[in-house]
């Protein structure tokens, strides 16, 4: 009993220390944002950008604008969700179209540094908008964990002078989820999301038709109750990723038949599921290890 009590006390102390560390990072984040005096926030409606917008709203008040970029690689449901979240946070919100990105060969050709060219084009639009409206800072919501993965878009952020305050404050995804829950944000347990183009292997052309097929396929998987899922588009083959804990349900006869029928109706000839389960950035596994580590 004594050992059990000591173990419980140890966990309690660790929990208090972790919370104190998160709160210290939050104070640092507020200080970073306050220095801006006013900001345009690149807002997707995901876990990170919703948290960032919530904190910025508390620090900057009305000297704030949330901007969501819409183009075929962003699901329509995410745009709708971003509108609703901005309203709930009482932040002025704009949706800016960026369909011209689809016409960029360095995007549609899908090279490994596709995200750099896409992010640079989008941030350039936001920079023009921020200058026109008198906002001195552009804030984007990459977190500290993102630095560990292959994220060529970070280069564009640095080149254009946008700020990544969550990284600067040292906030991880776990920190952001915990602080979001404390703030009562509905996104605290939302699955991670990413541009639909990330479902297409590097070197395979990105088209509106492929993006629409992926969007409809993932919406169908979500309607079946999968908490997080990816539909990887390999030509005529659909490779489905769900969390390991949900693979058995994915493979069950009734669910499997429904999925196969739907995927073939969308135009896929073959339908598979990945035995490793869902993992963010699985397409990056085709890149050399040195390149993934460098983020170049």
């Amino acid at each position: 009993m004594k050992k059990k009590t000591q173990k419980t006390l140890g966990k309690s102390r660790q929990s208090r220390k972790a919370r104190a560390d998160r709160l210290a990072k939050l104070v640092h984040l507020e200080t970073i944002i306050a220095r801006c005096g006013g900001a345009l926030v690149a807002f997707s409606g995901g876990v990170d950008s919703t948290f960032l917008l919530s904190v910025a709203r508390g620090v900057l008040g009305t000297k704030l604008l949330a901007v969501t970029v819409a183009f075929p690689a962003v699901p329509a449901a995410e745009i709708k969700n971003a509108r609703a979240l901005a309203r709930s946070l009482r932040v002025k919100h704009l949706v800016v179209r960026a369909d011209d990105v689809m016409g960029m060969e360095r995007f549609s050709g899908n090279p490994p540094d596709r995200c750099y060219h896409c992010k640079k084009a989008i941030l350039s639009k936001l920079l023009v908008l921020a200058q026109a409206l008198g906002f001195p800072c552009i804030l984007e919501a990459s977190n500290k964990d993102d630095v560990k993965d292959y994220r060529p878009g970070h280069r564009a952020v640095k080149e254009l002078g946008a700020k990544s305050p969550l990284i600067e404050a040292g906030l991880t995804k776990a920190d952001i989820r915990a602080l979001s829950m404390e703030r009562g944000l509905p996104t605290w347990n939302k699955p991670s999301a990413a541009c639909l183009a990330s479902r297409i292997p590097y070197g395979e052309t990105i088209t509106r038709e492929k993006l629409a097929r992926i969007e409809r396929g993932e919406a169908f998987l979500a309607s079946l109750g999968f908490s997080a899922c990816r539909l990887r588009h390999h030509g005529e083959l659909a490779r489905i990723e769900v969390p390991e804990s949900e693979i058995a349900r994915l493979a069950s006869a009734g669910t499997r038949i429904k999925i196969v029928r739907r995927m073939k109706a969308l135009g896929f000839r073959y339908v598979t599921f990945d035995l490793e389960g869902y993992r963010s950035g699985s397409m990056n596994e085709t890149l050399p290890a040195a390149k993934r580590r460098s983020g170049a």
Side-chain angles (χ1 to χ4, degrees), residues 113 116-117 120 151-161 295-296:
D113 64 347
Y116 164 73
H117 300 290
K120 187 169 185 178
R151 305 275 176 152
H154 287 323
R155 183 156 53 101
V157 173
K158 292 177 181 178
E159 287 178 1
L160 294 177

Side-chain angles (χ1 to χ4, degrees), residues 27-238:
V27 171
H28 188 190
L29 175 65
E30 291 172 336
T31 301
I32 294 167
I33 293 172
R35 292 193 197 113
C36 290
L40 182 156
V41 177
F43 180 59
S44 69
V47 178
D48 300 332
S49 68
T50 300
F51 172 72
L52 176 59
L53 187 63
S54 172
V55 176
R57 176 68 175 85
V59 174
L60 298 174
T62 58
K63 298 176 182 178
L64 186 66
L65 175 67
V67 178
T68 301
V69 175
F71 74 117
V74 180
E78 290 299 311
I79 303 298
K80 182 179 179 181
N81 179 61
R83 290 184 189 275
L85 284 167
R87 282 196 301 270
S88 70
L89 293 171
R90 302 188 307 280
V91 174
K92 186 177 179 182
H93 180 232
L94 292 179
V95 175
V96 175
R97 298 295 311 182
D99 297 282
D100 54 319
V101 172
M102 292 295 299
M104 294 168 44
E105 173 60 29
R106 289 180 176 179
F107 175 81
S108 61
N110 203 12
D113 64 347
R114 174 199 71 235
C115 288
Y116 164 73
H117 300 290
C118 179
K119 195 141 194 171
K120 187 169 185 178
I122 287 171
L123 283 176
S124 295
K125 289 179 181 292
L126 298 188
L127 182 61
V128 171
L129 181 62
Q131 291 174 341
L133 297 177
F135 289 103
C137 292
I138 295 177
L139 307 182
E140 68 90 38
S142 298
N143 66 61
K144 187 178 179 182
D145 292 335
D146 292 329
V147 178
K148 303 172 187 176
D149 195 8
Y150 176 67
R151 305 275 176 152
H154 287 323
R155 183 156 53 101
V157 173
K158 292 177 181 178
E159 287 178 1
L160 294 177
K163 295 183 180 296
S164 303
L166 301 179
I167 293 178
E168 191 175 341
L171 285 153
T172 65
K173 178 71 83 173
D175 291 330
I176 293 164
R177 288 192 185 279
L179 290 167
S180 294
M181 183 171 65
E182 290 184 12
R183 298 173 79 90
L185 297 174
T187 49
W188 74 270
N189 63 345
K190 182 180 179 179
S192 296
C195 163
L196 294 175
S198 66
R199 279 58 153 177
I200 301 173
Y202 295 121
E204 184 178 318
T205 303
I206 297 168
T207 66
R208 292 173 182 269
E209 292 73 23
K210 290 175 184 176
L211 295 173
R213 188 177 299 135
I214 294 166
E215 182 175 0
R216 290 195 294 269
E218 289 192 353
F220 177 74
L221 293 170
S223 75
L224 296 178
F226 291 104
S227 60
C229 59
R230 292 289 185 270
L231 172 55
R232 308 295 186 183
H233 193 302
H234 297 267
E236 295 184 321
L237 184 146

Side-chain angles (χ1 to χ4, degrees), residues 240-273:
I240 297 169
E241 296 176 10
V242 298
E244 285 187 60
S245 61
E246 298 182 16
I247 287 178
R249 183 163 69 86
L250 177 71
S252 65
T255 302
R256 178 171 53 81
I257 291 170
K258 289 178 184 177
I259 291 173
V260 169
R261 285 175 179 168
R262 180 57 177 155
M263 295 304 151
K264 289 198 170 185
L266 288 173
F268 292 105
R269 188 179 298 275
Y270 306 104
V271 184
T272 67
F273 66 85

